[in-house]
Coordinates of all heavy atoms in Angstrom, one line a residue:
M5 N 77.2 -44.4 76.2 CA 78.1 -43.9 77.2 C 77.9 -42.5 77.5 O 77.5 -41.7 76.7 CB 79.6 -44.0 76.6 CG 80.6 -43.4 77.3 SD 82.2 -43.6 76.6 CE 82.7 -45.1 77.5
R6 N 77.9 -42.1 78.8 CA 77.6 -40.9 79.3 C 78.8 -39.9 79.1 O 80.0 -40.3 79.1 CB 77.3 -40.8 80.8 CG 76.1 -41.6 81.1 CD 75.7 -41.6 82.5 NE 76.9 -41.3 83.4 CZ 76.8 -41.2 84.7 NH1 75.6 -41.5 85.3 NH2 77.8 -41.0 85.5
A7 N 78.5 -38.7 78.8 CA 79.6 -37.7 78.7 C 80.2 -37.3 80.0 O 79.5 -37.4 81.0 CB 79.1 -36.5 78.0
I8 N 81.4 -37.0 80.1 CA 82.1 -36.6 81.3 C 81.5 -35.2 81.7 O 81.4 -34.4 80.9 CB 83.6 -36.5 81.1 CG1 84.1 -37.9 80.8 CG2 84.3 -36.0 82.4 CD1 85.6 -38.0 80.5
K9 N 81.2 -35.1 83.0 CA 80.6 -33.8 83.5 C 81.6 -32.7 83.2 O 82.8 -32.8 83.5 CB 80.4 -33.9 84.9 CG 79.5 -32.8 85.5 CD 79.2 -33.1 86.9 CE 78.2 -32.1 87.4 NZ 77.8 -32.3 88.8
G10 N 81.1 -31.6 82.6 CA 81.9 -30.5 82.3 C 82.7 -30.7 81.0 O 83.4 -29.7 80.6
A11 N 82.7 -31.8 80.4 CA 83.4 -31.9 79.1 C 82.5 -31.4 77.9 O 81.3 -31.6 77.9 CB 83.7 -33.4 78.9
R12 N 83.2 -30.8 76.9 CA 82.4 -30.4 75.7 C 82.1 -31.7 74.9 O 82.8 -32.7 75.1 CB 83.3 -29.5 75.0 CG 83.4 -28.1 75.6 CD 84.3 -27.2 74.9 NE 85.6 -27.3 75.5 CZ 86.8 -27.3 74.9 NH1 86.8 -27.1 73.6 NH2 87.9 -27.4 75.6
S13 N 81.2 -31.6 74.0 CA 80.8 -32.8 73.2 C 81.9 -33.3 72.4 O 82.1 -34.5 72.2 CB 79.6 -32.4 72.3 OG 80.0 -31.4 71.4
S14 N 82.8 -32.5 71.8 CA 84.0 -32.9 71.1 C 84.9 -33.7 71.9 O 85.4 -34.7 71.5 CB 84.7 -31.9 70.3 OG 85.2 -30.9 71.3
E15 N 85.1 -33.3 73.2 CA 86.0 -34.1 74.1 C 85.4 -35.5 74.4 O 86.1 -36.4 74.5 CB 86.2 -33.3 75.4 CG 87.1 -32.1 75.2 CD 87.2 -31.3 76.4 OE1 86.3 -31.4 77.3 OE2 88.1 -30.4 76.5
S16 N 84.0 -35.6 74.6 CA 83.4 -36.9 74.9 C 83.4 -37.8 73.7 O 83.6 -39.0 73.8 CB 82.0 -36.7 75.4 OG 81.2 -36.1 74.4
L17 N 83.4 -37.1 72.5 CA 83.5 -37.9 71.3 C 84.9 -38.6 71.2 O 85.0 -39.7 70.8 CB 83.2 -37.1 70.0 CG 83.3 -37.7 68.7 CD1 82.3 -38.9 68.5 CD2 83.1 -36.7 67.6
N18 N 85.9 -37.8 71.5 CA 87.3 -38.3 71.5 C 87.5 -39.4 72.5 O 88.2 -40.4 72.3 CB 88.3 -37.2 71.7 CG 88.4 -36.3 70.5 OD1 88.2 -36.6 69.4 ND2 88.8 -35.0 70.7
L19 N 86.8 -39.3 73.7 CA 86.9 -40.3 74.7 C 86.3 -41.6 74.1 O 86.8 -42.7 74.4 CB 86.2 -39.9 76.0 CG 86.2 -40.8 77.1 CD1 87.6 -41.1 77.6 CD2 85.4 -40.3 78.3
N20 N 85.2 -41.5 73.4 CA 84.6 -42.7 72.9 C 85.5 -43.4 71.9 O 85.5 -44.7 71.9 CB 83.2 -42.4 72.2 CG 82.2 -42.1 73.1 OD1 82.2 -42.4 74.3 ND2 81.2 -41.2 72.6
R21 N 86.3 -42.8 71.1 CA 87.2 -43.3 70.2 C 88.3 -44.1 71.0 O 88.8 -45.1 70.5 CB 87.8 -42.3 69.3 CG 86.8 -41.8 68.3 CD 87.6 -40.9 67.3 NE 86.6 -40.0 66.7 CZ 86.9 -38.9 66.0 NH1 88.1 -38.5 66.0 NH2 85.9 -38.3 65.4
L22 N 88.7 -43.6 72.0 CA 89.8 -44.3 72.8 C 89.3 -45.6 73.4 O 90.2 -46.4 73.7 CB 90.3 -43.3 73.9 CG 91.0 -42.0 73.5 CD1 91.3 -41.2 74.7 CD2 92.3 -42.4 72.8
L23 N 88.1 -45.7 73.7 CA 87.5 -46.9 74.3 C 87.3 -48.0 73.4 O 86.9 -49.1 73.8 CB 86.3 -46.5 75.1 CG 86.6 -45.5 76.3 CD1 85.2 -45.2 76.9 CD2 87.6 -46.1 77.3
I24 N 87.4 -47.8 72.1 CA 87.1 -48.9 71.2 C 88.3 -49.8 71.2 O 89.5 -49.4 71.1 CB 86.9 -48.3 69.8 CG1 85.7 -47.5 69.7 CG2 86.9 -49.4 68.7 CD1 85.5 -46.7 68.4
G25 N 88.1 -51.1 71.3 CA 89.1 -52.1 71.4 C 89.1 -53.2 70.3 O 88.1 -53.1 69.5
S26 N 90.1 -54.0 70.2 CA 90.0 -55.0 69.2 C 90.6 -56.3 69.9 O 91.4 -56.2 70.9 CB 90.8 -54.7 68.0 OG 92.2 -54.4 68.3
K27 N 90.1 -57.5 69.4 CA 90.7 -58.7 69.9 C 92.1 -59.0 69.5 O 92.3 -58.7 68.3 CB 89.8 -59.9 69.5 CG 88.5 -59.9 70.2 CD 87.8 -61.2 69.8 CE 86.5 -61.4 70.6 NZ 85.8 -62.6 70.2
G28 N 92.9 -59.4 70.3 CA 94.3 -59.7 70.1 C 94.7 -61.1 70.7 O 94.2 -61.4 71.6
I29 N 95.8 -61.6 70.1 CA 96.4 -62.8 70.6 C 97.8 -62.5 71.0 O 98.5 -61.8 70.2 CB 96.4 -63.8 69.4 CG1 95.0 -64.1 68.9 CG2 97.1 -65.2 70.0 CD1 94.1 -64.9 69.8
L30 N 98.2 -62.9 72.2 CA 99.6 -62.8 72.6 C 100.4 -63.9 71.9 O 100.2 -65.1 72.1 CB 99.7 -62.9 74.1 CG 101.1 -62.8 74.7 CD1 101.8 -61.4 74.4 CD2 101.2 -63.1 76.2
F31 N 101.4 -63.4 71.1 CA 102.2 -64.4 70.3 C 103.6 -64.3 70.9 O 104.3 -63.3 71.0 CB 102.2 -63.8 68.9 CG 102.6 -64.8 67.8 CD1 101.7 -65.6 67.2 CD2 103.9 -65.0 67.5 CE1 102.0 -66.5 66.3 CE2 104.3 -65.9 66.6 CZ 103.4 -66.7 65.9
T32 N 104.1 -65.5 71.3 CA 105.5 -65.5 71.9 C 106.4 -66.3 70.9 O 106.0 -67.3 70.3 CB 105.4 -66.3 73.2 OG1 104.5 -65.7 74.2 CG2 106.8 -66.4 73.9
C33 N 107.5 -65.7 70.6 CA 108.5 -66.3 69.6 C 109.9 -65.8 70.0 O 110.1 -65.0 70.8 CB 108.1 -65.9 68.3 SG 108.0 -64.1 68.0
D34 N 110.8 -66.4 69.3 CA 112.2 -65.9 69.5 C 112.4 -64.7 68.6 O 111.6 -64.4 67.7 CB 113.2 -67.1 69.3 CG 113.2 -67.6 67.9 OD1 112.7 -67.0 66.9 OD2 113.8 -68.7 67.6
S35 N 113.6 -64.1 68.7 CA 113.8 -62.9 68.0 C 113.9 -63.1 66.6 O 113.6 -62.2 65.7 CB 115.1 -62.2 68.5 OG 116.2 -63.0 68.5
A36 N 114.4 -64.2 66.1 CA 114.5 -64.5 64.6 C 113.1 -64.6 64.0 O 112.9 -64.0 62.9 CB 115.3 -65.8 64.3
V37 N 112.2 -65.3 64.6 CA 110.9 -65.4 64.1 C 110.2 -64.1 64.2 O 109.4 -63.7 63.3 CB 110.1 -66.6 64.9 CG1 108.6 -66.5 64.6 CG2 110.7 -67.9 64.6
K38 N 110.5 -63.3 65.2 CA 109.9 -62.0 65.4 C 110.2 -61.1 64.2 O 109.4 -60.4 63.6 CB 110.2 -61.4 66.7 CG 109.5 -60.0 66.8 CD 109.9 -59.4 68.2 CE 109.4 -58.1 68.2 NZ 109.8 -57.3 69.4
Q39 N 111.5 -61.2 63.7 CA 111.9 -60.4 62.6 C 111.2 -60.8 61.4 O 110.8 -59.9 60.5 CB 113.4 -60.5 62.4 CG 114.2 -59.8 63.5 CD 113.8 -58.4 63.6 OE1 113.7 -57.6 62.8 NE2 113.6 -58.0 64.9
I40 N 110.9 -62.1 61.2 CA 110.1 -62.5 60.0 C 108.7 -62.0 60.1 O 108.1 -61.5 59.1 CB 110.1 -64.1 59.9 CG1 111.5 -64.6 59.7 CG2 109.2 -64.6 58.9 CD1 111.7 -66.1 59.8
L41 N 108.1 -62.1 61.3 CA 106.8 -61.5 61.5 C 106.7 -60.0 61.2 O 105.7 -59.6 60.6 CB 106.3 -61.8 62.9 CG 106.0 -63.3 63.2 CD1 105.8 -63.5 64.7 CD2 104.8 -63.7 62.4
L42 N 107.7 -59.3 61.6 CA 107.7 -57.8 61.4 C 107.8 -57.6 59.9 O 107.1 -56.6 59.4 CB 108.9 -57.2 62.1 CG 108.7 -57.1 63.7 CD1 110.0 -56.6 64.3 CD2 107.5 -56.3 64.1
S43 N 108.5 -58.3 59.2 CA 108.7 -58.2 57.7 C 107.4 -58.5 57.0 O 106.9 -57.9 56.1 CB 109.9 -59.0 57.2 OG 109.5 -59.8 56.2
M44 N 106.7 -59.6 57.5 CA 105.4 -60.0 57.0 C 104.4 -58.9 57.2 O 103.5 -58.6 56.4 CB 104.9 -61.3 57.6 CG 105.7 -62.5 57.1 SD 105.3 -64.0 58.1 CE 103.6 -63.9 58.7
N45 N 104.4 -58.3 58.4 CA 103.5 -57.2 58.8 C 103.6 -56.0 57.8 O 102.6 -55.3 57.7 CB 103.8 -56.8 60.2 CG 102.8 -55.9 60.8 OD1 101.5 -56.2 60.8 ND2 103.2 -54.7 61.2
E46 N 104.7 -55.8 57.2 CA 104.9 -54.6 56.3 C 104.0 -54.9 55.1 O 103.5 -53.9 54.4 CB 106.3 -54.4 55.9 CG 107.2 -53.9 57.1 CD 108.6 -53.8 56.8 OE1 109.1 -54.0 55.6 OE2 109.4 -53.5 57.7
R47 N 103.9 -56.2 54.7 CA 103.1 -56.4 53.5 C 101.6 -56.4 53.7 O 100.8 -56.0 53.0 CB 103.5 -57.8 52.9 CG 104.9 -57.9 52.3 CD 105.2 -59.2 51.7 NE 105.1 -60.3 52.6 CZ 106.2 -60.9 53.2 NH1 107.3 -60.6 52.8 NH2 106.0 -62.0 54.0
A48 N 101.2 -57.0 54.9 CA 99.8 -57.1 55.2 C 99.7 -56.9 56.8 O 99.9 -57.8 57.5 CB 99.1 -58.4 54.8
P49 N 99.4 -55.7 57.3 CA 99.4 -55.5 58.7 C 98.5 -56.4 59.6 O 97.3 -56.6 59.2 CB 98.9 -54.0 58.8 CG 99.1 -53.4 57.5 CD 99.0 -54.5 56.5
F50 N 99.1 -57.0 60.6 CA 98.3 -57.8 61.5 C 98.8 -57.7 62.9 O 98.2 -58.1 63.9 CB 98.3 -59.3 61.1 CG 99.8 -59.9 61.1 CD1 100.3 -60.5 62.2 CD2 100.5 -59.8 59.9 CE1 101.6 -60.9 62.2 CE2 101.8 -60.3 59.9 CZ 102.3 -60.9 61.0
I51 N 99.9 -56.9 63.1 CA 100.5 -56.7 64.4 C 99.8 -55.6 65.1 O 99.7 -54.5 64.5 CB 102.0 -56.6 64.4 CG1 102.6 -57.9 64.0 CG2 102.5 -56.2 65.8 CD1 104.2 -57.8 63.8
I52 N 99.2 -55.8 66.3 CA 98.6 -54.7 67.0 C 99.6 -53.9 67.9 O 99.7 -52.7 67.9 CB 97.5 -55.1 68.0 CG1 96.3 -55.8 67.1 CG2 96.9 -54.1 68.9 CD1 95.3 -56.5 68.0
E53 N 100.5 -54.7 68.5 CA 101.5 -54.1 69.5 C 102.8 -54.9 69.5 O 102.7 -56.2 69.7 CB 100.9 -53.9 70.9 CG 101.7 -53.1 71.8 CD 101.8 -51.7 71.5 OE1 100.7 -51.1 71.0 OE2 102.8 -51.0 71.8
D54 N 103.9 -54.3 69.4 CA 105.2 -55.0 69.6 C 105.6 -54.8 71.0 O 105.9 -53.6 71.4 CB 106.2 -54.3 68.6 CG 107.6 -55.0 68.7 OD1 107.8 -55.8 69.6 OD2 108.4 -54.7 67.8
L55 N 105.5 -55.8 71.9 CA 105.7 -55.6 73.3 C 107.1 -55.6 73.7 O 107.6 -54.7 74.4 CB 104.9 -56.7 74.1 CG 103.4 -56.7 73.9 CD1 102.8 -57.9 74.5 CD2 102.8 -55.4 74.3
D56 N 107.9 -56.6 73.4 CA 109.3 -56.7 73.7 C 110.0 -57.7 72.7 O 109.4 -58.0 71.7 CB 109.5 -57.2 75.2 CG 108.8 -58.5 75.5 OD1 108.7 -59.4 74.6 OD2 108.5 -58.8 76.6
D57 N 111.2 -58.2 73.1 CA 111.9 -59.0 72.1 C 111.2 -60.4 71.8 O 111.5 -61.0 70.8 CB 113.3 -59.4 72.7 CG 114.2 -58.1 72.7 OD1 113.9 -57.1 72.0 OD2 115.3 -58.1 73.5
Y58 N 110.4 -60.8 72.7 CA 109.7 -62.1 72.5 C 108.2 -62.1 72.4 O 107.6 -63.2 72.3 CB 110.2 -63.0 73.7 CG 111.7 -63.2 73.8 CD1 112.3 -62.4 74.8 CD2 112.4 -64.0 73.0 CE1 113.7 -62.5 75.0 CE2 113.8 -64.0 73.1 CZ 114.4 -63.3 74.1 OH 115.8 -63.3 74.2
H59 N 107.6 -61.0 72.5 CA 106.1 -60.9 72.5 C 105.5 -59.9 71.6 O 106.0 -58.8 71.6 CB 105.6 -60.7 73.9 CG 106.0 -61.7 74.9 ND1 107.2 -61.6 75.7 CD2 105.5 -62.9 75.2 CE1 107.3 -62.7 76.5 NE2 106.3 -63.5 76.2
L60 N 104.5 -60.3 70.9 CA 103.7 -59.5 70.0 C 102.2 -59.6 70.3 O 101.9 -60.8 70.7 CB 103.9 -59.8 68.6 CG 105.3 -59.6 67.9 CD1 105.4 -60.4 66.6 CD2 105.6 -58.2 67.8
I61 N 101.4 -58.7 70.1 CA 100.0 -58.9 70.1 C 99.6 -58.8 68.7 O 99.8 -57.7 68.0 CB 99.2 -57.9 71.0 CG1 99.6 -58.0 72.5 CG2 97.7 -58.1 70.9 CD1 99.1 -57.1 73.4
I62 N 98.9 -59.8 68.2 CA 98.4 -59.8 66.7 C 96.9 -59.8 66.8 O 96.3 -60.3 67.7 CB 99.0 -61.0 65.9 CG1 98.6 -62.3 66.5 CG2 100.6 -60.9 65.9 CD1 99.0 -63.5 65.6
K63 N 96.3 -59.4 65.7 CA 94.9 -59.4 65.4 C 94.3 -60.8 65.6 O 94.9 -61.7 64.8 CB 94.5 -58.7 64.1 CG 94.8 -57.3 64.1 CD 94.4 -56.8 62.7 CE 94.8 -55.3 62.5 NZ 94.6 -54.8 61.1
A64 N 93.3 -61.1 66.3 CA 92.8 -62.4 66.5 C 92.3 -63.0 65.2 O 92.5 -64.2 64.9 CB 91.7 -62.4 67.5
D65 N 91.6 -62.2 64.4 CA 91.1 -62.7 63.1 C 92.2 -62.9 62.0 O 91.9 -63.4 61.0 CB 90.0 -61.8 62.6 CG 90.4 -60.3 62.4 OD1 91.5 -59.9 63.0 OD2 89.7 -59.6 61.8
E66 N 93.4 -62.4 62.3 CA 94.5 -62.7 61.4 C 95.5 -63.8 61.9 O 96.5 -64.1 61.2 CB 95.3 -61.3 61.2 CG 94.5 -60.2 60.6 CD 94.4 -60.4 59.1 OE1 95.2 -61.1 58.5 OE2 93.4 -60.0 58.6
E67 N 95.2 -64.4 63.0 CA 96.1 -65.4 63.5 C 96.4 -66.5 62.6 O 97.6 -66.9 62.3 CB 95.6 -65.9 64.9 CG 96.5 -67.0 65.5 CD 95.9 -67.7 66.7 OE1 94.7 -67.6 66.9 OE2 96.7 -68.4 67.4
Y68 N 95.3 -67.1 62.0 CA 95.5 -68.3 61.1 C 96.3 -68.0 59.9 O 97.3 -68.6 59.7 CB 94.2 -68.8 60.7 CG 94.2 -70.0 59.8 CD1 94.5 -71.2 60.2 CD2 94.1 -69.8 58.4 CE1 94.6 -72.3 59.4 CE2 94.2 -70.9 57.6 CZ 94.5 -72.1 58.1 OH 94.6 -73.2 57.2
R69 N 96.1 -66.8 59.3 CA 96.8 -66.4 58.1 C 98.2 -66.2 58.5 O 99.1 -66.5 57.8 CB 96.2 -65.2 57.5 CG 96.9 -64.7 56.2 CD 96.4 -63.3 55.8 NE 96.7 -62.2 56.7 CZ 97.9 -61.6 56.8 NH1 98.9 -62.0 56.1 NH2 98.1 -60.6 57.7
A70 N 98.5 -65.5 59.6 CA 99.8 -65.1 60.0 C 100.6 -66.5 60.3 O 101.8 -66.6 59.9 CB 99.9 -64.2 61.2
R71 N 100.1 -67.4 61.0 CA 100.7 -68.7 61.3 C 101.0 -69.5 60.1 O 102.1 -70.0 59.8 CB 99.9 -69.5 62.2 CG 99.9 -69.0 63.7 CD 99.1 -69.9 64.6 NE 99.1 -69.4 65.9 CZ 100.0 -69.6 66.9 NH1 101.1 -70.3 66.5 NH2 99.8 -69.1 68.1
K72 N 100.0 -69.5 59.1 CA 100.2 -70.1 57.9 C 101.4 -69.6 57.0 O 102.2 -70.3 56.5 CB 98.9 -70.1 57.0 CG 98.8 -71.1 56.0 CD 98.5 -72.5 56.5 CE 98.1 -73.4 55.4 NZ 98.4 -74.8 55.7
E73 N 101.4 -68.2 56.9 CA 102.4 -67.6 56.2 C 103.8 -67.8 56.8 O 104.8 -67.9 56.2 CB 102.1 -66.0 56.0 CG 102.9 -65.4 55.1 CD 102.5 -63.9 54.9 OE1 101.3 -63.6 55.0 OE2 103.4 -63.1 54.5
L74 N 103.8 -67.7 58.2 CA 105.0 -67.9 58.9 C 105.6 -69.4 58.7 O 106.7 -69.6 58.5 CB 104.8 -67.8 60.4 CG 106.0 -68.0 61.3 CD1 107.1 -67.0 61.0 CD2 105.6 -67.8 62.8
D75 N 104.7 -70.4 58.7 CA 105.1 -71.7 58.3 C 105.7 -71.8 57.0 O 106.8 -72.5 56.8 CB 103.9 -72.7 58.5 CG 103.5 -73.0 59.9 OD1 104.3 -72.8 60.8 OD2 102.3 -73.5 60.1
T76 N 105.1 -71.1 56.0 CA 105.7 -71.1 54.7 C 107.1 -70.5 54.7 O 108.0 -71.1 54.0 CB 104.8 -70.3 53.7 OG1 103.5 -71.0 53.8 CG2 105.3 -70.4 52.3
E77 N 107.2 -69.4 55.4 CA 108.6 -68.7 55.4 C 109.6 -69.6 56.1 O 110.7 -69.7 55.7 CB 108.5 -67.4 56.2 CG 107.8 -66.3 55.3 CD 108.5 -66.0 54.0 OE1 109.8 -65.8 54.1 OE2 107.8 -65.8 53.0
L78 N 109.2 -70.2 57.2 CA 110.1 -71.1 58.0 C 110.5 -72.3 57.1 O 111.7 -72.8 57.2 CB 109.5 -71.5 59.3 CG 109.4 -70.4 60.3 CD1 108.6 -70.9 61.5 CD2 110.7 -69.8 60.7
E79 N 109.5 -72.9 56.3 CA 109.9 -74.0 55.4 C 111.0 -73.7 54.4 O 111.8 -74.5 54.1 CB 108.7 -74.5 54.8 CG 107.7 -75.4 55.6 CD 108.4 -76.7 56.0 OE1 109.1 -77.3 55.1 OE2 108.3 -77.1 57.2
K80 N 111.0 -72.4 53.9 CA 112.0 -72.0 53.0 C 113.4 -72.0 53.6 O 114.4 -72.2 53.0 CB 111.7 -70.5 52.6 CG 110.5 -70.3 51.8 CD 110.3 -68.9 51.4 CE 109.0 -68.6 50.7 NZ 108.8 -67.2 50.5
N81 N 113.5 -71.9 55.0 CA 114.8 -71.8 55.6 C 115.1 -73.0 56.3 O 116.1 -73.1 57.2 CB 114.8 -70.6 56.6 CG 114.6 -69.3 55.9 OD1 115.2 -69.1 54.8 ND2 113.7 -68.4 56.4
T82 N 114.4 -74.1 56.1 CA 114.7 -75.4 56.8 C 115.5 -76.3 55.9 O 115.3 -76.5 54.8 CB 113.3 -76.1 57.1 OG1 112.5 -75.3 57.9 CG2 113.5 -77.4 57.8
Y83 N 116.6 -76.8 56.5 CA 117.5 -77.8 55.8 C 117.0 -79.2 56.1 O 116.7 -79.6 57.2 CB 118.9 -77.6 56.3 CG 119.9 -78.5 55.7 CD1 120.3 -78.4 54.4 CD2 120.4 -79.6 56.4 CE1 121.2 -79.2 53.9 CE2 121.3 -80.5 55.9 CZ 121.7 -80.3 54.6 OH 122.6 -81.2 54.0
S84 N 116.9 -80.0 55.1 CA 116.4 -81.3 55.2 C 117.5 -82.3 54.7 O 118.1 -82.1 53.6 CB 115.2 -81.5 54.4 OG 114.8 -82.9 54.3
L85 N 117.8 -83.3 55.4 CA 118.8 -84.3 55.0 C 118.3 -85.1 53.7 O 119.2 -85.4 52.9 CB 119.1 -85.3 56.1 CG 119.9 -84.8 57.3 CD1 120.0 -85.8 58.4 CD2 121.3 -84.3 56.9
E86 N 117.1 -85.3 53.6 CA 116.6 -86.1 52.5 C 116.7 -85.3 51.2 O 117.0 -85.8 50.2 CB 115.0 -86.3 52.7 CG 114.7 -87.4 53.8 CD 114.7 -86.7 55.1 OE1 114.2 -85.6 55.3 OE2 115.1 -87.4 56.1
A87 N 116.6 -84.0 51.3 CA 116.7 -83.1 50.1 C 118.2 -83.1 49.6 O 118.4 -82.9 48.4 CB 116.3 -81.7 50.4
S88 N 119.1 -83.3 50.5 CA 120.5 -83.1 50.1 C 121.1 -84.4 49.6 O 122.2 -84.4 49.0 CB 121.4 -82.7 51.3 OG 121.4 -83.7 52.3
Q89 N 120.5 -85.5 49.7 CA 121.0 -86.8 49.2 C 120.5 -87.2 47.8 O 119.8 -86.7 47.2 CB 120.5 -87.9 50.1 CG 121.1 -87.8 51.5 CD 120.6 -88.9 52.5 OE1 119.8 -89.7 52.2 NE2 121.2 -88.8 53.6

C-alpha cells in the first residue's frame, strides 16, 4: 500500500491498521435471542458489531459455535408436552 502524499510514516502505518478487515455474517434474530447472544458474547467474544434491535454481525469462523451454543440455550427454555406427562 502506498503512503498518502505528505503523510508521515506513522500516519500511513495507522491507515494500514484501519484497512484490515475480518469476515462477518449478518445474523438476524428477535430481541430475546439477541439478549442471549449478547450474554454468550461476554463469555467468548464472537460479535463484531451490534447493528440494531434485530441484527448483529458475528465472526464468520465463529458462526457454527455460536449457533450450536444458541441451540443449547434455547433448548433449556423450551417447554415440551411429552416431558410434562
Side-chain angles (χ1 to χ4, degrees):
M5 173 177 263
R6 296 184 335 183
I8 298 172
K9 190 173 186 176
R12 288 177 266 145
S13 61
S14 62
E15 290 173 343
S16 64
L17 180 62
N18 289 335
L19 180 61
N20 287 337
R21 287 187 199 161
L22 293 174
L23 297 176
I24 296 173
S26 59
K27 284 187 174 182
I29 304 288
L30 178 63
F31 200 92
T32 303
C33 57
D34 63 19
S35 58
V37 169
K38 183 178 173 191
Q39 290 306 311
I40 294 171
L41 290 168
L42 290 172
S43 124
M44 289 169 33
N45 189 60
E46 291 175 6
R47 293 187 297 256
F50 59 91
I51 295 176
I52 296 172
E53 188 72 32
D54 182 351
L55 299 175
D56 59 28
D57 290 342
Y58 304 101
H59 300 94
L60 298 165
I61 297 179
I62 63 172
K63 294 177 184 174
D65 57 345
E66 295 285 331
E67 178 189 14
Y68 178 78
R69 182 188 64 79
R71 287 184 184 273
K72 196 77 167 154
E73 192 175 331
L74 178 61
D75 285 342
T76 302
E77 287 297 317
L78 292 174
E79 280 295 317
K80 292 177 185 176
N81 298 319
T82 302
Y83 178 75
S84 171
L85 288 175
E86 292 83 34
S88 66
Q89 294 178 356

